[in-house]
């Protein structure tokens, strides 16, 4: 307000209020940050605008259900919750098998709002948690950028991360998942740790330990932190950047962070017992050896003697460490790496050994197009930023470079890890943008400044002499700089447009309500999932057990309030394989399995009518693979014809008669789906189905939603007289 | 006027239980029986059997099988508790009755007696097939036994056979041994191998076979030996009881009264076993015997009385169930020593024989296994002739809560010691470091 030009009469008065340049800059910075904060929040509200305020996808439904339980029953009941509605009949100790950070955060926000007399429902809080934390992430990005480069880079980083699609994909309103808060926690921990390394202050170390604790409580991705930070420390040690600051920062953060992390039931003793956490412990001991050697060097004046001592100490330390690790591995005290960890290091591992990990679409290796889609120009700015970082190496820039490079690798291995790479990419790109723009503007302004004052203030000070040199050598430099600036702003505006478009078109779909374009360009909404779950809730007995493929487990328990056999928490491969086996067997074999699991209803998802392609028939080969992995009677080639997967007349006989095929295509043969096509034309696969005369013996159709997307079958009781 | 209404309503409400003295879980014996006949002559020719039923309190309603007014149910309510089909030659039932209606009648828990005979119609065969037995496909085939036939005045074609190969079950055939052989003349049937519920009560002897007695035997008969069943029963999963036989005449007065001498045997019985056999088995069919009920399933922790919503691992619990048997007039305690309880999750973790107090109460106590999950209390009591009891009750078993573990364990004392000595040492060290020169 005060900077706005005022009328002549008041100008004198205002002059006394006129801010100094520094204050002006602060004001601009704060207002930019505020706008970015708001922008980050509202750009994530597209999903509410397009659909409604609802929980998205699969895992968020579990999180929502647990949050609801937490609000209703309090923390101790939540902590000890034994959920007998999932994984029937095994049950699941929910309190001990989840990361409670998200739920506790949401409930805390809910309680605060309630305390302030805002009568909100917990669902609204859950829906808006991810956007809120995305806003907070922008603030952290600003401070992080400021810490590693300067406040300009921080501001750019904040803006870039606010709208970056790689992050938005996981944090739109309704995407109530661990990642929503975890990215905030991740970036916060890194920022505070870098701050601690830069200052060597115990207070920042403590803050980073707590940041780490929050991250551990929120997401399994904390393993990335506990491996990246030791790696970073190791690199600093090797490059001779060891300092007391680093020693204090790492030791304090590691010990406190480890102790705090052990308080999370799901993590427990993994920090001292699991192979994935051993790197951190090894580096911790290495630090002590380093410190000890430093001390000995200080005490010993003789360099030769010290060299000998160094050799002995290092060899014996490595030997002791190696023996300890070997003994731990052999005795089973230290658990080997998990499959997920292996599949990160070796992208082909899951495909060969763990079909259940490979079957998830977000665990697939990333395609180039999705890098382009999620990062847009950042993909080109990233190497430029790396160049600037290498030009001005410091402890902080080394950290961001390492974060950027490792996370980029992981992003290439798994689609979902693009999310982890996004903050690093935004920060590094911000450095590139900020440094370039600053250099260009310095060029633009330098001539006047050089003429008038001869020295520039603040930012461009050190470079002014070189600018002056360049000035003389390149006559069209100023015009070139203007052109480049316009180019940069054009690119950035393209980025903004792209991000908005991606958010509104691609990443706001809740995937539980499907939208399609009708024949006249109008929007058609398929709300079949909720229709089916509501039917289950209203029309089945309270203790009915529903068997479906594990993808729908969380949704059935959360929305249908019915017991499921398997769900998205894929902890028991055998149980999932049993369901896979039932789905891929003939009906009379399947009914034995179904009865042994006390199943009352079988639910399948079928897209043949609407052309919805992620249905159970398209997932079916994974069921066969997972089932066959445990029960060798299920063989994948039985379902294929010459290695080809088909459902039409040429399909394998076992395929045409297995339970999944029958349940999906029951009565479908009579149906006209598309004009000019024969009845029983499957629109998702574009073929006429091979077995139109499906007869069910032990199951009967109980409910089919209006667009046939969800079909529910009742298991008939055994024949009365047979 | 108002008073009159009141009296009316009161009298109806008092009379109502007596008016509706039908089959119910409380008094499971059938009351109203529909008998479908080929012609009313059977009423008199089989009167002994019918009178025996009437004297036991059954309300028999005789109708011709093709009577267009017959119906099993009206307004969704069944009019009868049991159905007797003494109409082997009927081609089409009258009224709304067809095979599906009879099957539904059985599947809703009602009882059925089917008597076929030589030249049994396709309809009756179909009813038999639905009940799990296959009559000989040759319409004129009869069971012939050249060794186990009943000796009669004229040397016949040995189609009147005397059989005494009974099922060994006191529940089905009564406690009193049937001395005299059963006279049988009719069509044989085989029990369907796919059906696990059908039982042969009276089998033919190993020398019997099923063929047309009038024609020469050119091909081996399809049914031979003791695979031929003369009388079969089915107890359906809903405990409806069915009787299928291939002889209508075995119910007749003539067979009831006639003496019997089995070929090759010296003993001549004054009276055939038919009356005793059919009376006893109709008691079983009409739930006067072998009908069990299980009530008052209770389970709770030892020392408590309320039923918990879920148990914790290693809880001690008590389980009790009361089982009674219907004697035809009242519920008597069921006494057995082989009622077993399973604590079941995919497989039985605990399998215990319940101890009985001889007054119908069965109970046991055991420790919940150290496994959490959704368990079931299962009592699967399936004994020949008795109602199959299949009780299952779901109960989740949870692990320990965080504060239910032991607070201090002896094995950890070195660690406690280490922690506290470390704290003390740190304090002393800091003190010494800070305040010494």
């Amino acid at each position: 307000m005060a900077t706005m030009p005022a009328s002549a009469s008041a100008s004198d008065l205002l002059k006394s209020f006129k801010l100094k340049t520094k204050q002006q800059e602060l004001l601009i910075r704060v207002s930019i940050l505020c706008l970015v904060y708001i922008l980050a929040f509202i750009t994530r509200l597209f999903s509410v605008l397009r659909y409604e305020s609802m929980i998205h996808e699969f895992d968020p439904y579990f999180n929502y259900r647990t949050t609801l339980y937490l609000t209703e029953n309090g923390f101790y009941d939540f902590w000890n919750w034994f959920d007998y509605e999932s994984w029937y009949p095994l049950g699941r100790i929910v309190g001990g098998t989840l990361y409670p950070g998200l739920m506790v955060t949401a409930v805390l926000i809910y309680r605060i709002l309630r305390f302030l007399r805002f009568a909100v429902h917990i669902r609204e809080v859950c829906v808006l948690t991810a956007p809120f934390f995305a806003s907070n992430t922008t603030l952290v990005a600003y401070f992080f950028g400021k810490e590693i480069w300067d406040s300009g880079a921080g501001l750019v980083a904040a803006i870039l991360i606010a709208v970056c699609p790689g992050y938005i994909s996981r944090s739109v309103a309704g995407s109530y998942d661990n990642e929503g808060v975890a990215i905030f926690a991740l970036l916060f921990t890194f920022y505070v740790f870098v701050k601690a390394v830069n200052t060597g202050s115990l207070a920042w170390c403590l803050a980073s330990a707590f940041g780490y604790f929050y991250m551990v409580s929120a997401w399994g991705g904390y393993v990335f932190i506990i491996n990246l930070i030791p790696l970073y420390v190791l690199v600093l040690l090797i490059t001779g950047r060891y300092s007391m600051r680093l020693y204090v920062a790492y030791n304090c953060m590691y010990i406190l962070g480890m102790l705090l992390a052990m308080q999370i039931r799901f993590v427990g003793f993994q920090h001292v017992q699991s192979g994935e956490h051993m790197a951190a412990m090894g580096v911790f001991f290495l630090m002590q050896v380093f410190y000890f050697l430093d001390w000995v060097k200080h005490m010993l004046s003789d360099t030769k003697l010290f060299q000998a001592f160094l050799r002995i100490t290092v060899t014996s330390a490595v030997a002791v460490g190696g023996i300890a690790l070997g003994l731990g591995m052999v005795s089973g005290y230290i658990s080997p790496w998990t499959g997920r960890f292996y599949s990160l290091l070796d992208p082909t591992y899951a495909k060969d050994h763990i079909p259940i990990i490979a079957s998830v679409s977000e665990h697939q290796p990333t395609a180039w197009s999705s890098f382009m889609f999620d990062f847009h120009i950042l993909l080109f700015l990233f190497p430029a930023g790396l160049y600037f970082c290498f030009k001005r190496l410091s402890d902080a820039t080394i950290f961001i470079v390492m974060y950027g490079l490792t996370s980029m690798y992981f992003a290439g291995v798994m689609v979902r890890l693009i999310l982890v790479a996004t903050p690093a990419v935004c920060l590094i790109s911000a450095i590139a943008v900020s440094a370039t723009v600053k250099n260009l503007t310095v060029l633009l302004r330098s001539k006047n400044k050089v003429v008038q004052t001869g020295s520039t203030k603040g930012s461009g000070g050190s470079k002014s002499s070189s600018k002056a040199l360049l000035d003389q050598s390149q006559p069209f430099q100023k015009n070139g700089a203007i052109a480049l600036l316009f180019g940069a702003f054009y690119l950035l505006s393209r980025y903004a447009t792209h991000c908005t478009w991606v958010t509104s078109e691609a990443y706001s779909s809740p995937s539980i309500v499907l939208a399609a374009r009708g024949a006249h360009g109008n929007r058609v909404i398929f709300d079949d999932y909720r229709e089916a779950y509501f039917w289950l809730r209203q029309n089945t007995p309270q203790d009915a057990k529903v068997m479906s493929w594990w993808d729908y487990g969380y949704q059935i328990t959360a929305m249908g309030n019915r017991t499921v056999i398997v769900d998205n928490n894929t902890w028991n491969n055998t149980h999932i394989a049993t369901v896979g086996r039932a789905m891929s067997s003939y009906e009379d074999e399947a009914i034995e399995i179904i009865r042994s699991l006390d199943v009352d209803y079988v639910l399948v998802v079928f897209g043949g009518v609407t052309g919805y392609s992620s249905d159970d028939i398209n997932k079916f080969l994974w069921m066969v693979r997972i089932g066959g992995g445990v029960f060798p009677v299920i063989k994948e080639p039985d379902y294929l014809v010459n290695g080809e997967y088909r459902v039409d007349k040429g399909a394998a006989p076992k395929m045409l008669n297995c339970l999944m095929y029958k349940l999906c295509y029951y009565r479908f043969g009579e149906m006209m789906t598309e004009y000019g096509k024969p009845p029983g034309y499957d629109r998702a696969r574009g073929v006429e189905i091979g077995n139109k005369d499906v007869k069910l013996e032990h199951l009967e159709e109980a409910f089919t939603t209006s667009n046939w997307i969800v079909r529910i079958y009742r298991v008939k009781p055994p024949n009365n007289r047979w | 006027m108002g008073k009159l209404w009141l009296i009316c309503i009161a009298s109806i409400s008092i009379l109502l239980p007596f008016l509706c003295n039908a089959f119910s879980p409380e008094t499971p014996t059938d009351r109203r029986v529909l008998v479908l006949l080929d012609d009313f002559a059977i009423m008199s020719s089989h009167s002994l059997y019918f009178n025996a039923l009437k004297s036991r309190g059954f309300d028999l309603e005789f109708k011709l099988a093709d009577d267009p007014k017959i119906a099993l149910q009206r307004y969704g309510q069944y009019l009868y508790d049991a159905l007797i089909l003494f109409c082997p030659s009927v081609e089409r039932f009258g009224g709304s009755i067809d095979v599906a209606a009879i099957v539904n009648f059985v599947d809703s828990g009602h009882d059925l007696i089917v008597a076929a005979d030589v030249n049994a119609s396709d309809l009756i065969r179909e009813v038999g097939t639905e009940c799990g037995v296959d009559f000989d496909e040759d319409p004129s085939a009869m069971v012939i036994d050249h060794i186990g036939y009943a000796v009669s005045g004229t040397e016949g074609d040995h189609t009147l056979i005397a059989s005494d190969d009974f099922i060994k079950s006191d529940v089905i055939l009564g406690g009193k041994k049937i001395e005299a052989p059963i006279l049988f003349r009719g069509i044989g049937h085989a029990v369907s191998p796919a059906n696990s519920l059908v039982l042969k009560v009276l089998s033919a002897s190993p020398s019997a076979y099923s063929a047309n007695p009038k024609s020469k035997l050119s091909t081996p008969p399809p049914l031979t030996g003791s695979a031929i069943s003369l009388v079969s029963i089915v107890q359906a999963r809903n405990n409806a009881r069915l009787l299928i036989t291939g002889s209508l005449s075995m119910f007749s007065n003539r067979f009831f009264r006639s003496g019997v001498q089995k070929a090759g045997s010296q003993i001549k019985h004054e009276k055939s076993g038919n009356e005793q056999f059919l009376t006893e088995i109709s008691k079983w069919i009409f739930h006067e015997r072998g009908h069990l009920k299980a009530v008052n399933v209770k389970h709770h922790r030892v020392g408590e009385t309320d039923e918990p919503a879920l148990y914790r691992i290693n809880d001690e619990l008590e389980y009790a169930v009361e089982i009674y048997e219907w004697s035809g007039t009242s519920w008597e305690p069921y006494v057995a020593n082989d009622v077993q309880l399973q604590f079941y999750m995919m497989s039985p973790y605990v399998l215990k024989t319940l101890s009985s107090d001889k007054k119908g109460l069965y109970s046991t106590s055991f420790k919940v296994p150290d496994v959490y999950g959704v368990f079931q209390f299962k009592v699967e009591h399936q004994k020949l002739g008795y109602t199959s009891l299949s009780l299952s009750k779901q109960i989740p078993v949870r692990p320990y809560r965080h504060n239910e573990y032991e607070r201090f364990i002896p094995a950890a004392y070195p660690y406690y010691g280490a922690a506290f000595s470390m704290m003390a040492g740190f304090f002393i060290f800091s003190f010494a470091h800070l305040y010494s020169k």
Side-chain angles (χ1 to χ4, degrees):
Chain A
M1 283 299 244
T3 50
M4 279 168 64
S7 60
S9 57
S11 63
D12 286 341
L13 189 72
L14 278 173
K15 236 173 205 145
S16 56
F17 286 108
K18 197 166 163 63
L19 297 165
K20 299 193 191 84
T21 324
K22 264 244 166 102
Q23 286 169 315
Q24 275 182 353
E25 198 207 336
L26 182 74
L27 189 74
I28 291 170
R29 222 190 305 156
V30 169
S31 36
I32 289 176
L33 270 182
C34 286
L35 287 175
V36 170
Y37 193 88
I38 294 165
L39 172 71
F41 191 83
I42 58 175
T43 192
R44 284 164 171 81
L45 296 184
F46 266 119
S47 58
V48 177
L49 213 66
R50 289 283 149 98
Y51 297 90
E52 61 179 77
S53 173
M54 63 189 286
I55 307 285
H56 290 191
E57 299 200 316
F58 304 103
D59 287 19
Y61 270 97
F62 170 75
N63 298 331
Y64 174 59
R65 179 166 164 250
T66 48
T67 311
L68 210 60
Y69 189 89
L70 177 59
T71 42
E72 281 163 6
N73 300 315
F75 187 72
Y76 280 118
D77 276 355
F78 173 68
W79 195 247
N80 290 307
W81 184 16
F82 174 67
D83 177 22
Y84 48 84
E85 287 198 344
S86 55
W87 291 95
Y88 180 86
L90 305 169
R92 174 184 176 189
I93 308 174
V94 172
T97 56
L98 52 52
Y99 294 100
L102 178 71
M103 298 92 199
V104 173
T105 308
V107 169
L108 209 65
I109 297 172
Y110 172 72
R111 293 266 158 82
I112 291 170
L113 289 175
R114 280 280 161 148
F115 177 75
L116 297 173
R117 297 296 180 268
F118 288 103
V120 290
H121 188 266
I122 182 71
R123 196 188 68 235
E124 310 299 332
V125 177
C126 292
V127 164
L128 296 177
T129 298
F132 173 63
F133 271 86
S135 292
N136 295 339
T137 310
T138 61
L139 287 189
V140 178
Y142 164 72
F143 285 109
F144 203 178
K146 195 176 163 195
E147 187 66 27
I148 54 177
W149 203 258
D150 56 18
S151 58
L155 278 181
V156 178
I159 296 165
L160 290 183
I161 204 167
V163 292
C164 185
Y167 185 24
I168 285 182
S169 68
R170 295 288 172 151
S171 63
V172 291
S175 178
Y176 179 57
D177 210 347
N178 291 335
E179 289 96 324
V181 299
I183 290 303
F184 165 78
L186 177 90
L187 204 60
F188 179 76
T189 312
F190 282 154
Y191 161 62
V192 181
F193 182 73
V194 168
K195 190 96 183 168
V197 172
N198 278 347
T199 57
S201 131
L202 266 179
W204 286 113
C205 300
L206 199 65
S208 74
F210 275 100
Y212 178 64
F213 172 58
Y214 186 57
M215 176 70 190
V216 174
S217 77
W219 194 34
Y222 77 88
V223 177
F224 179 60
I225 301 187
I226 203 65
N227 281 299
L228 178 64
I229 287 184
L231 189 68
Y232 164 65
V233 171
L234 200 66
V235 166
L236 287 192
L237 290 184
I238 288 169
T239 52
R241 284 175 170 271
Y242 170 77
S243 65
M244 215 42 215
R245 290 177 285 118
L246 184 67
Y247 182 83
V248 170
Y250 182 70
N251 288 332
C252 179
M253 186 264 169
Y254 175 64
I255 294 294
L256 277 176
M258 181 172 74
L259 288 176
L260 285 169
M262 282 181 181
Q263 311 310 310
I264 305 296
R265 255 180 97 189
F266 193 25
V267 177
F269 287 104
Q270 278 188 32
H271 274 79
V272 287
Q273 287 193 342
S274 125
E276 284 131 47
H277 302 75
M278 282 303 125
M281 188 177 272
V283 168
F284 172 72
F285 287 120
L286 195 67
M287 288 287 270
Q288 314 313 317
V289 173
F290 237 82
Y291 185 77
F292 176 67
L293 286 175
D294 229 30
W295 179 71
V296 171
K297 195 180 184 181
H298 175 69
M299 301 297 277
L300 279 176
S301 45
D302 188 354
T303 31
K304 229 179 181 175
L305 206 62
F306 175 70
Q307 285 298 331
F309 182 75
L310 181 71
R311 220 170 295 139
I312 293 166
T313 333
V314 168
T315 10
S316 53
V318 169
V320 167
I323 288 168
L325 194 68
L327 280 180
M329 290 286 211
V330 168
S331 66
Y333 183 77
I334 298 173
S335 65
W337 288 347
T338 59
R340 256 167 235 258
F341 202 73
Y342 267 124
S343 60
L344 275 182
L345 300 181
D346 173 10
T348 58
Y349 181 83
K351 216 173 145 195
D352 299 336
H353 296 97
I354 327 169
I356 204 151
I357 292 183
S359 73
V360 182
S361 65
E362 59 182 22
H363 289 167
Q364 304 301 322
T366 318
W368 268 110
S369 55
S370 57
F371 269 120
M372 214 37 226
F373 200 63
D374 280 357
F375 288 141
H376 199 238
I377 60 161
L378 304 187
L379 208 55
F380 304 107
L381 292 174
F382 180 67
L386 285 181
Y387 164 75
F388 282 107
C389 287
F390 275 113
K391 261 185 82 174
R392 208 175 94 182
L393 272 186
S394 65
D395 289 356
T397 49
I398 289 177
F399 182 84
I400 195 69
V401 165
M402 291 195 52
Y403 174 25
L405 291 178
T406 49
S407 63
M408 262 316 225
Y409 168 73
F410 292 133
V413 174
M414 267 192 200
V415 179
R416 71 190 293 211
L417 293 183
I418 281 192
L419 176 73
V420 176
T422 303
V425 171
C426 286
L427 278 164
I428 293 176
S429 307
I431 290 173
V433 172
S434 170
T436 314
V437 170
K438 187 171 271 173
N439 285 349
L440 293 173
T441 44
V442 164
L443 272 184
L444 285 182
R445 298 163 79 177
S446 59
K447 206 164 191 184
N448 312 334
K449 297 245 167 115
V450 169
V451 170
Q452 284 167 6
T453 59
S455 80
T456 46
K457 266 198 157 187
S459 54
S462 59
K463 290 174 188 161
S464 59
S465 54
S466 63
K467 295 289 139 62
L469 268 173
L470 285 170
D471 224 353
Q472 287 146 11
S473 59
Q474 294 173 345
F476 296 112
Q477 198 183 31
K478 206 167 166 183
N479 295 340
I482 290 172
L484 281 177
L485 262 185
F486 271 111
F489 284 122
Y490 174 73
L491 279 181
L492 287 174
S493 63
R494 293 306 305 167
Y495 172 73
T497 334
H498 171 79
C499 291
T500 317
W501 175 76
V502 166
T503 312
S504 84
E505 291 296 320
Y507 287 151
S508 291
S509 164
S511 91
I512 190 139
V513 176
L514 310 164
R517 294 268 169 222
H520 309 290
N522 53 325
R523 242 158 66 99
V524 187
I525 294 282
F526 299 133
D527 203 356
D528 286 40
Y529 280 105
R530 292 197 290 179
E531 187 186 343
Y533 299 141
F534 193 68
W535 184 88
L536 276 180
R537 198 183 191 102
Q538 297 291 322
N539 296 287
T540 59
Q542 189 70 43
D543 60 348
K545 285 106 197 158
V546 184
M547 183 173 94
S548 71
W549 190 232
W550 60 265
D551 297 24
Y552 317 106
Y554 278 164
Q555 293 176 347
I556 294 170
T557 36
M559 277 187 275
N561 195 19
R562 291 294 173 268
T563 307
V564 294
I565 308 298
V566 292
D567 66 27
N568 309 46
N569 176 261
T570 51
W571 65 275
N572 189 327
N573 192 31
T574 313
H575 218 50
I576 291 182
T578 310
V579 173
R581 181 183 175 185
M583 292 295 193
S584 39
S585 302
Y586 294 125
E587 195 188 350
D588 43 351
E589 295 163 14
I591 195 70
E592 303 284 321
I593 301 170
I594 287 174
R595 294 238 165 87
S596 74
L597 289 170
D598 299 332
V599 171
D600 301 307
Y601 291 89
V602 182
L603 181 148
V604 294
V605 171
F606 173 60
V609 176
T610 49
Y612 172 54
S613 63
S614 50
D615 66 348
D616 278 345
I617 288 286
N618 281 356
K619 291 173 185 172
F620 181 60
L621 271 191
W622 287 110
M623 301 182 203
V624 173
R625 273 175 211 153
I626 292 168
V630 177
F631 305 103
V633 287
I634 304 291
K635 294 183 196 72
E636 192 179 338
D638 291 351
Y639 300 86
L640 302 175
V641 178
N642 300 326
E644 202 185 343
Y645 180 64
R646 47 201 296 188
V647 297
D648 57 356
K649 278 205 175 63
K654 183 138 197 198
M655 178 72 208
L656 291 177
N657 289 296
C658 67
L659 183 68
M660 176 53 79
Y661 192 94
K662 279 184 155 186
L663 296 187
C664 282
Y665 290 122
Y666 181 63
R667 294 203 300 121
F668 185 66
E670 310 154 10
M671 191 184 192
M672 292 291 285
T673 50
E674 213 165 295
Y675 180 72
K677 300 283 187 201
Y681 178 77
D682 183 332
R683 293 178 70 192
R685 280 147 290 269
V687 290
E688 186 185 346
I689 59 166
N691 181 2
K692 287 191 186 175
D693 184 29
V694 175
K695 293 253 183 336
L696 291 171
E697 194 185 335
H698 302 290
L699 294 122
E700 58 186 352
E701 187 179 8
F703 184 68
T704 295
T705 55
S706 46
N707 298 302
W708 287 48
I709 288 178
V710 184
R711 310 195 68 185
I712 301 170
Y713 292 84
R714 187 183 296 109
V715 179
K716 285 199 236 170
N719 192 312
N720 189 31
R721 287 159 283 113
W722 287 79
Chain B
M1 194 67 186
K3 229 171 206 175
L4 202 71
W5 271 112
L6 209 68
I7 290 164
C8 258
I9 289 168
S11 57
I12 284 172
S13 59
I14 291 164
L15 280 175
L16 207 61
F18 299 101
L19 292 172
C20 315
N21 57 351
F23 180 93
S24 73
E26 278 311 305
T27 55
T29 300
D30 297 330
R31 288 288 163 238
R32 301 163 304 173
V33 183
L34 176 66
V35 186
L36 293 184
L37 307 168
D38 269 344
D39 65 81
F40 284 121
I42 296 175
M43 266 176 78
S44 51
S45 64
H46 293 60
S47 59
L48 280 179
Y49 181 67
F50 293 134
N51 288 337
L53 290 182
K54 277 182 190 157
S55 68
R56 295 215 309 275
F58 294 101
D59 179 9
L60 300 186
E61 193 172 330
F62 296 94
K63 288 273 170 67
L64 280 179
D66 49 5
D67 183 344
K69 285 205 224 61
I70 53 171
L72 284 176
Q73 57 176 339
R74 186 187 296 155
Y75 310 128
Q77 295 287 319
Y78 279 104
L79 300 168
Y80 309 99
D81 303 322
L83 178 64
I84 297 177
L85 294 180
F86 277 0
C87 47
S89 62
V90 67
E91 290 297 341
R92 227 178 131 255
F93 290 116
S96 61
I97 301 184
D98 53 10
V99 175
I102 291 172
V103 165
N104 284 336
F105 182 71
V106 170
D107 285 349
S108 49
H110 300 91
D111 306 314
L112 176 67
I113 293 177
V114 184
D117 215 330
V118 186
N119 297 318
S121 66
D122 287 345
L123 187 69
I124 292 298
R125 286 165 185 275
E126 208 178 319
V127 172
T129 311
E130 287 291 338
C131 301
V133 305
D134 300 315
F135 288 107
D136 193 334
E137 282 173 18
D138 183 355
S140 49
M142 291 178 90
V143 184
I144 305 170
D145 193 339
H146 295 303
I147 294 171
Y149 60 92
V151 178
S152 58
T154 56
E155 185 64 21
D157 47 10
H158 297 167
T159 53
L160 178 66
I161 56 176
S163 176
D164 50 7
D165 192 0
F166 302 112
I167 193 170
K168 286 175 188 59
S169 167
D170 287 354
V171 186
I172 296 170
L173 296 180
K176 195 161 158 261
K177 192 171 183 299
I178 301 169
E179 301 287 345
I182 309 297
L183 284 174
F184 181 94
R185 189 207 297 272
I187 187 169
H189 62 260
V191 300
S192 167
N195 192 324
S196 56
L197 296 172
V198 64
L199 296 169
K200 285 189 282 192
V201 181
L202 185 66
S203 320
S205 73
S207 54
Y209 65 97
S210 172
N212 186 350
K214 293 194 177 66
S215 67
K216 207 158 174 268
L217 202 60
S218 53
T219 49
L223 291 173
T224 53
S226 44
I228 301 176
S229 175
L230 305 177
V231 179
S232 299
I233 55 165
V234 178
Q235 177 166 269
R237 286 180 209 278
N238 62 357
N239 293 319
R241 290 174 175 174
L242 285 68
L243 178 99
I244 306 113
T245 174
S247 166
L248 178 58
S249 47
M250 74 185 290
F251 295 89
S252 68
N253 298 354
R254 202 160 67 80
F255 278 34
F256 272 33
R257 288 201 190 112
S258 83
V260 61
Q261 183 186 7
K262 199 173 174 179
S265 163
Q266 297 306 314
I267 311 153
K268 184 168 170 40
H269 297 275
E270 279 302 307
K271 204 163 164 269
S272 72
N274 285 33
E275 182 166 20
Q276 190 192 352
F277 172 72
L278 290 170
T279 309
E280 290 300 329
I281 204 161
S282 68
K283 279 185 186 168
W284 183 83
I285 292 287
F286 292 143
H287 293 273
E288 284 172 78
R289 198 164 50 221
H291 188 100
L292 301 180
K293 73 166 179 183
V295 289
N296 285 338
V297 177
K298 276 184 199 153
H299 59 89
H300 51 82
R301 291 197 185 90
V302 170
E304 291 176 19
T305 51
D306 290 342
E307 188 172 298
L310 76 175
Y311 286 104
R312 195 192 66 191
I313 54 171
N314 297 332
D315 266 352
E316 293 283 346
L317 68 84
E318 283 172 356
Y319 179 90
V321 59
E322 289 170 35
I323 303 178
Y324 296 100
E325 184 181 359
W326 179 250
S327 68
T329 46
S330 64
W331 289 103
E332 303 292 337
Y334 172 66
V335 181
N337 56 4
D338 53 0
V339 184
Q340 288 188 318
L341 169 74
Q342 302 173 41
F343 199 56
Y344 183 93
M345 182 177 77
M346 298 180 94
S347 60
Y349 277 72
V350 174
L351 179 61
K352 289 204 92 172
T353 305
L354 295 170
S355 56
S356 163
D357 70 345
K358 311 283 181 205
K359 286 173 189 155
L361 181 73
Y362 289 80
S363 62
T364 189
S365 70
F366 61 91
K367 188 177 180 182
V368 176
D370 196 1
V371 179
Y372 59 81
V374 183
F375 281 81
Q376 282 169 317
F377 289 112
K378 266 194 178 182
V379 175
E380 294 279 348
H381 189 62
Q382 276 153 7
K383 219 169 151 184
L384 181 64
Y386 284 104
T387 322
S388 54
L389 285 183
S390 176
L391 312 174
S392 80
K393 187 159 192 181
Q394 182 176 317
I395 187 88
V397 173
R398 65 169 174 82
Y400 287 116
R401 280 174 71 91
H402 71 284
N403 53 3
E404 284 173 340
Y405 292 97
E406 257 181 289
R407 196 78 192 86
F408 295 101
I409 47 176
Y413 274 103
Y415 298 97
Y416 306 144
F420 283 103
S421 66
M422 177 84 181
M423 281 193 251
F426 181 74
F427 181 75
I428 293 164
F429 174 79
S430 331
F431 197 80
H433 184 74
L434 290 171
Y435 296 103
S436 65
K437 282 271 152 105

